[in-house]
């Protein structure tokens, strides 16, 4: 599981200092006991060339669906909401507005839709999983417009990518960026960007970090997988990002993930998360998606596990990827937040296009 690189570590410990046996194998379904983490890893060199394993199947939290599950999915075939569930599309909150004014000490986030955020932190502008396209492969067109006009963006200082699924890694959007934009990606994904002539690509393993103009970017585990073609299943890694400003303000971007033990470990390793950007949609049917997508109640529990002060829901209201009614994730996350006894003002259930500034 441990990659070999120009600056390699021992065969039993990953570069972030986590032992190999601290990562669940594909056959392990029960959460592992809490681990005592060493200090955070030193940032790796930007653009470092790395050599990785051929695949990352050993990082799976649960096995990928087998033939029986695929047969059941084909038989039941419920991958879209019914007519009543789609009736909520016109009611998805959409309130685009100007980006807030910020300085180097201000953290602000703007939801462009799905998992795409404009994060202003440490004086930099960071895009997460930018998808500005109207349509992605294999999915109907987006049901809400992009919340931020591309021309309205300030200079993009960095892009972070969680994994290679089409709704998170969008080639048409990325082609809009200057090729010298710093891009931070999971292990095994740099080649995809290099083929498209990006020149400043940094790929990281779980628990590794890089630093850009004082902003620390840590790549952390997620309960998910990767695949882009018929032959590249789990050939690149998947995960989330912890962005830490020079003054210590901290934003966690989960990417795409199911619920599980990684959240409490991330919270222990990166205390003081000011805001967690967590997915709440694409969860039905549950038997098919529970291993890789949080439902709203699990997302709220994840925020608690992380010790995050605030949560902003995402991964809903943009693309219809599964069978739950379009508006259900929003209603359920609000109810779960209230049942958890958490302050209402700390749930940043933003409309698409809206912004919020950390105070």
């Amino acid at each position: 599981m441990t990659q070999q690189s120009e600056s390699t570590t021992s065969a039993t410990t990953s570069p972030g200092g986590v032992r190999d046996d601290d990562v669940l194998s594909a056959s392990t379904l029960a959460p592992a006991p809490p681990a005592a983490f060493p200090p955070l890893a030193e940032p790796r060199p930007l653009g470092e060339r790395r050599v990785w394993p051929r695949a990352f199947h050993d990082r799976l939290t649960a096995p990928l669906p087998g033939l029986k599950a695929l047969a059941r999915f084909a038989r039941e075939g419920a991958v879209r909401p019914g007519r009543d569930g789609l009736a909520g599309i016109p009611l998805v909150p959409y309130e685009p507005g100007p980006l807030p004014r910020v300085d180097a000490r201000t953290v602000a986030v703007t939801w462009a839709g799905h998992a795409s955020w404009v994060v202003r932190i440490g004086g930099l502008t960071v895009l997460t999983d930018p998808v500005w396209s109207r349509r992605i492969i294999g999915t109907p067109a987006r049901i809400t417009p992009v919340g931020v006009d591309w021309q309205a963006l300030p200079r993009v200082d960095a892009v972070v990518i969680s994994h290679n699924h089409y709704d998170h890694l969008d080639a048409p959007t990325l082609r809009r960026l200057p090729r010298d934009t710093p891009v931070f990606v999971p292990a095994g994904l740099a080649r995809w960007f290099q083929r498209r002539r990006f020149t400043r690509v940094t790929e990281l393993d779980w628990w590794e970090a890089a630093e850009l103009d004082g902003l620390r970017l840590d790549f952390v585990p997620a309960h998910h997988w990767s695949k882009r073609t018929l032959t590249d299943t789990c050939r690149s890694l998947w995960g989330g990002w912890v962005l830490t400003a020079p003054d210590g303000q901290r934003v966690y971007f989960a990417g795409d993930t199911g619920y599980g033990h990684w959240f409490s470990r991330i919270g222990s390793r990166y205390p003081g998360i000011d805001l967690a950007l967590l997915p709440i949609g694409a969860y039905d049917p549950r038997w098919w998606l529970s291993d890789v997508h949080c439902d709203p109640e699990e997302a709220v529990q994840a925020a608690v596990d992380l010790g995050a002060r605030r949560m902003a829901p995402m991964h809903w209201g943009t693309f219809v990827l599964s069978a739950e009614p379009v508006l259900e994730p929003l209603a359920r996350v609000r109810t779960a937040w209230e049942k958890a006894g958490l302050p209402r003002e700390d749930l940043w259930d933003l409309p698409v296009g809206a912004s919020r500034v950390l105070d």
Side-chain angles (χ1 to χ4, degrees):
M1 127 192 167
T2 305
Q3 76 278 10
Q4 301 300 312
S5 68
E6 296 171 0
S7 177
T8 188
T9 58
S10 72
T12 59
T13 306
S14 69
V18 180
R19 291 176 54 85
D20 282 355
D21 57 12
D22 193 40
V23 178
L24 293 183
S25 70
S27 62
T28 305
L29 301 181
F37 285 112
L40 297 182
E42 288 296 316
R44 298 193 72 98
L46 297 179
E48 179 185 18
R49 290 194 175 273
R50 313 287 294 274
V51 178
W52 303 103
R54 180 173 174 80
F56 295 91
H57 291 87
D58 61 333
R59 307 297 185 91
L60 292 167
T61 308
L64 296 175
L67 291 177
K68 288 185 178 180
L70 292 171
R72 178 181 175 184
F73 184 77
R75 185 171 62 250
E76 297 182 2
V79 295
R80 297 286 185 271
R83 181 179 299 178
D84 290 345
L86 293 172
I89 288 176
L91 301 178
V92 174
Y94 177 75
E95 298 178 11
L99 296 178
R101 293 176 178 267
V102 298
D103 58 29
R105 297 178 300 278
T106 303
V107 174
V109 295
T110 304
W111 189 33
H114 202 53
S116 302
W117 293 86
V118 183
V119 181
R120 322 281 289 284
I121 182 171
L124 303 182
T125 297
V126 180
L127 299 186
T128 69
D129 289 358
V131 179
W132 261 249
S133 296
R134 180 174 176 269
R135 185 186 296 273
I136 57 174
I137 292 177
T139 300
R142 61 196 305 148
I143 60 174
T144 48
V146 181
V148 182
D149 187 78
W150 187 265
Q151 284 68 38
L153 289 173
R155 187 190 73 173
V156 176
D157 298 296
V159 172
V160 296
I161 300 294
S162 64
H163 66 300
N164 71 353
H165 287 161
Y166 282 93
D167 58 321
H168 294 259
L169 180 63
D170 183 53
T173 299
L174 293 165
R175 280 199 295 267
R176 300 184 183 195
L177 292 166
R179 295 307 186 268
D180 62 350
T181 303
V183 182
F184 298 86
V185 304
L189 200 51
R191 186 176 300 177
W192 188 93
F193 284 87
Q194 291 161 354
R195 288 199 303 266
R196 288 156 180 80
R197 300 184 179 179
F198 282 87
T199 60
R200 302 176 67 187
V201 185
T202 301
E203 55 185 346
L204 298 176
D205 199 349
W206 287 350
W207 309 120
E208 289 187 335
E211 191 172 292
L212 179 68
D213 296 338
L215 177 68
R216 182 180 169 106
L217 304 98
D218 286 74
F219 187 55
V220 295
H223 301 276
H224 207 62
W225 65 303
S226 68
K227 184 180 180 67
R228 199 167 176 87
T229 71
L230 294 175
T231 60
D232 68 349
T233 303
C234 296
R235 293 288 180 88
S236 61
L237 200 49
W238 51 91
W241 292 91
V242 177
L243 308 180
T244 306
D247 63 2
Q249 293 186 97
R250 186 165 271 169
V251 174
Y252 166 64
F253 167 66
D256 212 352
T257 181
Y259 177 75
H261 67 286
W262 287 129
F263 293 112
S264 60
R265 297 192 182 189
I266 293 167
S268 296
R269 195 167 175 83
Y270 304 94
I273 293 173
D274 295 288
L275 174 64
L277 311 175
L278 286 163
I280 66 168
Y283 52 79
D284 188 27
R286 208 73 199 107
W287 67 267
W288 175 256
L289 293 168
S290 64
D291 290 331
V292 294
H293 287 164
C294 289
D295 66 23
E297 294 77 16
E298 290 169 337
V300 170
Q301 185 60 53
V304 173
D305 294 351
L306 289 161
R309 296 188 176 97
R310 305 166 189 86
M311 169 186 165
M314 63 174 183
H315 207 269
W316 78 280
T318 307
F319 296 107
V320 177
L321 301 175
S322 54
E324 73 271 5
V326 168
L327 289 176
E328 183 180 280
L330 180 61
R332 283 177 56 174
V333 78
R334 288 172 172 172
T335 299
W337 192 264
E338 181 180 3
K339 285 185 176 180
L342 300 169
R344 180 62 181 87
E345 63 270 17
D346 291 340
L347 178 63
W348 289 10
D349 46 347
L350 302 180
V352 175
S355 302
R356 192 69 67 88
V357 178
L358 281 170
D359 48 29

